[in-house]
Amino acid sequence: MKNSKFYYGNIVTLLAALCYFGSAGILTYGTANIINELLNVRGWDPVQVSATFSIKGLIGLCAPLVGIVVNKYGPRRTIGMTTIVTSIALVLTGYANSPVMFIIVFGIAVGFSMQFNDQLAIFAAINNWWSLKRGRHAGIVQAAGGIGGVVFPILIAFMFQNLGWTNTMWGLGLILLLVTGLPQMIFMKDHPEEIGQKMDGGYVLPDTPTDAAKPKHISHSYHSPVNWEIKDALRTPQAWVIAIAWGMATVSYIGVMSYGVSKLVMDGWTALHGSQIIAYVNIAVVVLALLVGPILDKISVKMAFVIMGICGAVGSISILFVANGGLLIRFIFIVSSAVIAAVSGILCVMTYGNFFGIKNYPAIQGSCMWIVTIFSTVASMMYGFVIKITGSMDSAFILAAVISLLICLVAVLFLKPPKLLPKHEKELAEKIN
């Protein structure tokens, strides 16, 4: 492979994209159909349903453990082995006929195991292989998740309608295993060095003083010239500001992607009709993820977060008028919701990798992810309680819009690259000498 012109990082991107296609499509975007099935078909209590998804979200507090595992065993083994457990738990969910059993097998078992084969491990693989084009390839992976969001909501709605609860969960468990686990376990590589290659196919960052070969189109966004140690990175405010901004983004994201179908059903639409417009959002996510990835490689992180916050607010407000509005309102809703879905994952993953280097990226991001978990858990509970109390979700979406606008303020005031420590300056000086 040393003399090969083919860079295996492209295969890693393909496998990561395939993994995110299945995991995001089933375990993230597909939850809207599961919630609708429990609320509007089975007639379960909204608070009990939202409590299950809140528990599932709270398990995200184990993200520091996920980061340690990914750091130690690598993305390939982490994704491959834990997907088997997640698939089994999904199958067992098909036999959950009470809220208590549903909480155990879906809220706890699926919620815990999916942490190890979801975003952190997937994007760790991308960060290990790409630097200058990190946004571009993260965008490809994000687009694959969007394709999953197009395919699986409609597929799951069709499966529930024709196969019933148990057979649908069996099917989803098998699909998850065959798409997001086995190919990655067989073909994925954790680092370019495993096969005698280098990151970016032989190119390194422009700020690295030891490199002479540079690609024609380099990134103008900040890239750390050193790999930060975990404890040093966690002492910087930037590590936590990124997580806070990401957590704020999840409030509107969860509203649209997890409760959007239920909201539209409450406004008089059918579940299939509601699933279709969420599918349109995800079609837009696919297109935008491919388009914005290269752009995010070029612009400042601060500007990108501001754009994300504004679009999150617009998406949360516009869904209130979708059911009775015209094509313009639906177009605004689809595009603005797609922007926050496409940008949030790419941007936050890129920012951690760019600010702190790739060596300890999974552990650094994982150590901060509990903040995102708290936001997503509270958001899910908020939507459930608002439904219970008012029979509508309008107030929750208005609050989500306000929180999204706060992202802009946080980014403008606090988000800038961390200052290198004295030992980092010494390390760079030694490289130059």
Side-chain angles (χ1 to χ4, degrees):
M1 295 296 295
K2 291 182 180 180
N3 298 322
S4 174
K5 293 183 179 180
F6 176 76
Y7 184 49
Y8 200 79
N10 295 292
I11 298 296
V12 173
T13 298
L14 176 62
L15 292 168
L18 189 63
C19 185
Y20 205 46
F21 165 76
S23 65
I26 295 173
L27 302 175
T28 300
Y29 298 110
T31 56
N33 299 88
I34 295 174
I35 290 173
N36 181 68
E37 182 77 9
L38 297 175
L39 288 179
N40 296 316
V41 177
R42 293 190 156 204
W44 284 18
D45 185 274
V47 173
Q48 291 177 323
V49 174
S50 63
T52 301
F53 285 87
S54 295
I55 291 171
K56 178 172 173 283
L58 274 174
I59 294 177
L61 292 172
C62 73
L65 174 62
V66 177
I68 292 171
V69 170
V70 175
N71 253 20
K72 183 174 182 179
Y73 297 104
R76 182 185 70 84
R77 282 187 288 178
T78 302
I79 292 170
M81 298 303 295
T82 59
T83 300
I84 297 174
V85 178
T86 308
S87 299
I88 293 172
L90 270 178
V91 170
L92 293 177
T93 302
Y95 299 93
N97 293 314
S98 69
V100 173
M101 187 176 179
F102 184 70
I103 288 173
I104 293 173
V105 295
F106 190 83
I108 298 176
V110 172
F112 180 74
S113 61
M114 70 173 282
Q115 300 298 322
F116 295 86
N117 48 68
D118 200 20
Q119 198 172 60
L120 185 55
I122 293 170
F123 284 102
I126 295 297
N127 278 343
N128 286 347
W129 284 81
W130 300 99
S131 182
L132 297 177
K133 296 181 180 180
R134 183 170 291 152
R136 181 189 303 271
H137 287 266
I140 292 171
V141 174
Q142 191 76 8
I147 295 173
V150 174
V151 173
F152 283 104
I154 296 176
L155 174 63
I156 294 172
F158 177 82
M159 291 172 70
F160 274 135
Q161 184 175 344
N162 294 277
L163 301 179
W165 174 259
T166 301
N167 290 334
T168 296
M169 301 312 293
W170 260 98
L172 295 179
L174 291 174
I175 292 171
L176 188 73
L177 179 64
L178 295 175
V179 171
T180 75
L182 294 183
Q184 292 72 19
M185 189 68 176
I186 297 170
F187 299 109
M188 183 173 279
K189 304 294 182 183
D190 290 332
H191 298 279
E193 293 79 9
E194 292 181 24
I195 54 175
Q197 293 188 337
K198 295 181 180 180
M199 179 177 284
D200 290 323
Y203 299 117
V204 295
L205 299 179
D207 357 29
T208 304
T210 56
D211 182 60
K214 296 180 178 64
K216 295 180 180 179
H217 304 288
I218 64 173
S219 170
H220 296 287
S221 62
Y222 175 81
H223 291 75
S224 175
V226 297
N227 286 307
W228 286 65
E229 295 299 324
I230 300 170
K231 63 180 181 179
D232 292 331
L234 296 181
R235 288 171 182 166
T236 67
Q238 287 87 348
W240 305 101
V241 170
I242 297 167
I244 291 170
W246 197 352
M248 289 178 174
T250 64
V251 179
S252 60
Y253 177 86
I254 287 173
V256 171
M257 296 301 179
S258 295
Y259 288 87
V261 174
S262 299
K263 160 67 178 170
L264 295 173
V265 169
M266 290 177 180
D267 288 346
W269 284 18
T270 65
L272 187 58
H273 193 187
S275 297
Q276 287 174 339
I277 196 165
I278 300 301
Y280 296 150
V281 172
N282 287 296
I283 292 173
V285 169
V286 174
V287 176
L288 288 173
L290 294 173
L291 293 177
V292 303
I295 296 173
L296 293 176
D297 279 326
K298 305 294 183 182
I299 67 175
S300 71
V301 167
K302 186 177 295 187
M303 180 185 297
F305 270 97
V306 169
I307 294 172
M308 181 179 71
I310 293 173
C311 289
V314 173
S316 294
I317 291 296
S318 58
I319 194 174
L320 303 179
F321 308 100
V322 166
N324 299 312
L327 291 177
L328 178 60
I329 289 294
R330 296 179 189 181
F331 177 80
I332 293 173
F333 165 70
I334 290 170
V335 173
S336 57
S337 299
V339 168
I340 195 167
V343 170
S344 59
I346 302 172
L347 181 58
C348 295
V349 168
M350 277 184 60
T351 306
Y352 276 108
N354 289 0
F355 277 12
F356 303 109
I358 65 165
K359 179 181 177 182
N360 296 308
Y361 155 76
I364 294 171
Q365 179 177 312
S367 297
C368 302
M369 287 294 290
W370 60 269
I371 292 179
V372 183
T373 298
I374 290 175
F375 270 98
S376 61
T377 301
V378 171
S380 185
M381 292 178 64
M382 175 186 71
Y383 288 105
F385 276 108
V386 169
I387 296 172
K388 178 75 172 180
I389 295 172
T390 67
S392 152
M393 281 188 280
D394 290 2
S395 301
F397 279 105
I398 293 172
L399 179 58
V402 174
I403 294 172
S404 291
L405 288 177
L406 289 177
I407 297 174
C408 306
L409 183 63
V410 170
V412 169
L413 294 179
F414 304 110
L415 202 56
K416 61 181 181 180
K419 184 178 180 180
L420 296 179
L421 302 177
K423 65 179 181 181
H424 296 151
E425 301 287 356
K426 182 179 179 181
E427 178 183 339
L428 289 176
E430 290 174 352
K431 286 183 179 181
I432 294 175
N433 293 333

